[in-house]
C-alpha cells in the first residue's frame, strides 16, 4: 500500500504548489524539517559540518532549491554557494587525496529548466561554483533530478570535467539507462555517487518494484567497484551497504578507495559506526528555506517517516 499508493502520491505532492503552501504554512511541519535539514543559513550548515567532522565524517552540503523559473533566483543560488564556501574557509578542506568538504548542486536550481537557454545558464553558473570550490579546496558533485534532465545534466558534467576532473555526479539505479551510464563514468578519477533514485518516474524509463531497483543497484555497484573511478555508495539500506563491502573486497579495493554516503539525520548511529570502522563516510547536509521538495521526498521514502509526520499533525500532539 505504501509503495503503490502513498509513495507516488507524496512524490506528486512534492511538486504541487497548493500542497506546498499548506505543508510549509504549518508550524508543526517546521519541527520535523529540523530532523532532515541543518538550518536556514550558511552558518547553520557550517555548524552541522563542524560537528560531523568531529566524528571523522566527510560532508557534502546542498543549498536547498530546485525547479527555478526565475533567472535572478538562479543567480542568487550561485551567491549562496559562494557565501557558503567563504563560511567554510576556517574548516580544513584540502591537503588530502579525498577532500573532506564538498558541495552538492541541483542544476535545476541554477536555471536548467529556464526556457531556451536553461542548459547554457546552468552550465555557466555551475562553472562559477566549481571555480570557487576548487580555489577553496572543496569538491563539487552534481545531483541527479528527474529523468527529463539526465541528458542535459550528464552533458554539463562531461563539459565541466575537462577543467575540473574531480567533479562528481549522481547516477540513479532505478533508471533503465544507468548500468550503461555507470560503464561510461567508471573511468580513472571519476567520482560517481550511486543512489536508488528519489523521483516519481514512469515505467518506460525506470524500474518500478523495490526488487528490480535493488537488483539494478547491485549491478551498477559492481560496475563501479570494478571500474577505475571512485565510487560513492549513497544508501541507508543495510543490504546495499553489505554488498558494497563485499564488492569492494572482490575488486581488491581498500576502504579508502570508495566512500559511503547518507543523508543528514538518517541512521546517524550507522554513519558513526562506518566512520569508526575506518570507512570513508560522507553526510549530505541540506540547508536553506526551500526545503519543501526535499522534505516530501524523505517522507515518500519510508513509512516510518510519514507516520512520524502524521502523528505530529494530530491535534494536541506533543512535539
Ligand atoms: C548522500 C545521498 C545523496 C542522494 N542524492 C540523490 C540524488 O542526487 N538524486 C536522487 O534521485 N536521489 C538521491 N538520493 C536519495 C536516494 O535516491 C534514495 O531515495 C534514498 O537514499 C533512499 O534509498 P535507500 O538506498 O536509502 O534505501 P531505501 O530503499 O529507502 O531503504 C532500504 C532500507 O534502508 C533502511 N533505511 C532506510 N531509511 C532508513 C531510516 N530513516 N532509518 C533506518 N533505516 C532506514 C531500512 O532498512 C530500509 O528498509 C541521495 C541519497 C543519499 C544517501
Amino acid at each position: 500500500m505504501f509503495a503503490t499508493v502513498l509513495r507516488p502520491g507524496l512524490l506528486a505532492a512534492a511538486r504541487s504548489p497548493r500542497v506546498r503552501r499548506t505543508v510549509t504554512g504549518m508550524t508543526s511541519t517546521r519541527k520535523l524539517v529540523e530532523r532532515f535539514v541543518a538550518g536556514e543559513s550558511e552558518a547553520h550548515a557550517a555548524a552541522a559540518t563542524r560537528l560531523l567532522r568531529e566524528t571523522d565524517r566527510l560532508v557534502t552540503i546542498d543549498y536547498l532549491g530546485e525547479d527555478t523559473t526565475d533567472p535572478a533566483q538562479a543567480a542568487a543560488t550561485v551567491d549562496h554557494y559562494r557565501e557558503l564556501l567563504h563560511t567554510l574557509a576556517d574548516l580544513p578542506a584540502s591537503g588530502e587525496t579525498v577532500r573532506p568538504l564538498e558541495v552538492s548542486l541541483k542544476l535545476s536550481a541554477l536555471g536548467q529548466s529556464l526556457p531556451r537557454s536553461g542548459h547554457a545558464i546552468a552550465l555557466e553558473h555551475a562553472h562559477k561554483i566549481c571555480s570557487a570550490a576548487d580555489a577553496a579546496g572543496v569538491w563539487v558533485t552534481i545531483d541527479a533530478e528527474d529523468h527529463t534532465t539526465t541528458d542535459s545534466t550528464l552533458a554539463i558534467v562531461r563539459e565541466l570535467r575537462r577543467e575540473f576532473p574531480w567533479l562528481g555526479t549522481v547516477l540513479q539505479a532505478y533508471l533503465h539507462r544507468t548500468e550503461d551510464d555507470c560503464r561510461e563514468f567508471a573511468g580513472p578519477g571519476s567520482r560517481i555517487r550511486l543512489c536508488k533514485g528519489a523521483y516519481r518516474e514512469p515505467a518506460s524509463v525506470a524500474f518500478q518494484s523495490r526488487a528490480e531497483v535493488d537488483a539494478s543497484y547491485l549491478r551498477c555497484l559492481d560496475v563501479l567497484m570494478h571500474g577505475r573511478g571512485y565510487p560513492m555508495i549513497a544508501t541507508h539500506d543495510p543490504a546495499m551497504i553489505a554488498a558494497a563491502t563485499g564488492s569492494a573486497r572482490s575488486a581488491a579495493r581498500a576502504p579508502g578507495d570508495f566512500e559511503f554516503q547518507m543523508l543528514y539525520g538518517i541512521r546517524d548511529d550507522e554513519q558513526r559506526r562506518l566512520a569508526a570502522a575506518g570507512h570513508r563516510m560522507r553526510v549530505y547536509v541540506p540547508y536553506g528555506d526551500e526545503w519543501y521538495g526535499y522534505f516530501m521526498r524523505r517522507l515518500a521514502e519510508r513509512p516510518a517517516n510519514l507516520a512520524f509526520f502524521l502523528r505530529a499533525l494530530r491535534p494536541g500532539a506533543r512535539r
Side-chain angles (χ1 to χ4, degrees):
M1 151 96 163
F2 184 78
T4 51
V5 181
L6 291 177
R7 186 172 182 275
L10 284 164
L11 291 178
R15 289 208 145 148
S16 155
R18 192 170 55 82
V19 184
R20 178 194 180 103
R21 276 194 297 279
T22 310
V23 173
T24 53
M26 295 187 298
T27 43
S28 48
T29 315
R30 296 196 160 255
K31 275 272 158 219
L32 295 177
V33 168
E34 284 170 14
R35 198 178 141 198
F36 300 112
V37 175
E40 298 200 338
S41 69
E42 283 73 27
H44 289 129
T49 299
R50 216 166 270 119
L51 279 178
L52 290 162
R53 293 293 296 131
E54 280 174 14
T55 47
D56 261 352
R57 283 175 279 183
L58 314 171
V59 175
T60 186
I61 308 176
D62 170 48
Y63 175 65
L64 289 164
E66 51 198 88
D67 298 336
T68 300
T69 51
D70 173 8
Q73 200 182 337
T77 297
V78 178
D79 294 339
H80 275 284
Y81 275 101
R82 284 193 175 127
E83 176 63 29
L84 172 66
L85 290 162
H86 179 70
T87 310
L88 294 176
D90 62 332
L91 282 161
S94 52
E96 301 180 27
T97 43
V98 167
R99 297 185 187 173
L101 302 183
E102 183 193 79
V103 293
S104 284
L105 312 179
K106 282 192 173 44
L107 292 179
S108 79
L110 297 180
Q112 188 182 32
S113 48
L114 291 171
R116 288 180 298 280
S117 42
H119 178 93
I121 291 171
L123 172 60
E124 189 188 327
H125 286 332
H127 184 276
K128 285 182 187 155
I129 296 171
C130 286
S131 297
D134 205 22
V138 172
W139 268 340
V140 178
T141 284
I142 308 265
D143 283 0
E145 302 182 66
D146 75 67
H147 79 277
T148 62
T149 64
T150 310
D151 282 333
S152 159
T153 297
L154 294 184
I156 287 176
V157 169
R158 283 186 203 98
E159 174 78 25
L160 289 172
R161 272 201 174 146
R162 291 192 204 152
E163 190 174 343
F164 309 105
W166 44 259
L167 177 67
T169 194
V170 181
L171 297 175
Q172 299 152 311
Y174 64 13
L175 294 182
H176 298 151
R177 61 179 284 167
T178 294
E179 204 178 329
D180 288 338
D181 288 335
C182 284
R183 286 201 181 86
E184 177 192 338
F185 282 92
S190 169
R191 294 192 314 117
I192 293 298
R193 176 193 301 161
L194 179 65
C195 67
K196 289 189 187 177
Y199 295 78
R200 186 185 181 205
E201 299 290 12
S204 52
V205 298
F207 299 112
Q208 303 291 305
S209 77
R210 166 123 190 225
E212 285 174 317
V213 174
D214 286 357
S216 170
Y217 196 100
L218 295 174
R219 289 194 300 274
C220 294
L221 182 66
D222 257 359
V223 172
L224 295 178
M225 285 292 187
H226 287 86
R228 302 184 58 204
Y230 180 74
M232 304 186 284
I233 310 305
T235 181
H236 312 98
D237 188 339
M240 301 301 129
I241 293 167
T245 318
S247 181
R249 211 176 297 120
S250 86
R253 279 180 185 266
D257 296 339
F258 66 100
E259 68 185 44
F260 288 110
Q261 298 192 340
M262 292 191 200
L263 301 176
Y264 179 79
I266 300 187
R267 302 204 72 201
D268 193 69
D269 287 351
E270 178 66 357
Q271 293 178 15
R272 288 166 187 266
R273 186 191 71 76
L274 287 166
H279 287 289
R280 292 207 166 113
M281 172 75 240
R282 193 178 299 271
V283 183
Y284 185 103
V285 176
Y287 80 98
D289 49 18
E290 290 291 317
W291 45 260
Y292 175 72
Y294 180 86
F295 176 68
M296 293 301 278
R297 289 194 292 277
R298 301 297 76 81
L299 292 189
E301 260 152 31
R302 192 166 150 80
N305 290 344
L306 179 63
F308 191 56
F309 177 59
L310 295 176
R311 267 200 309 277
L313 297 186
R314 274 202 322 251
R318 291 167 62 94
R319 1 185 195 276

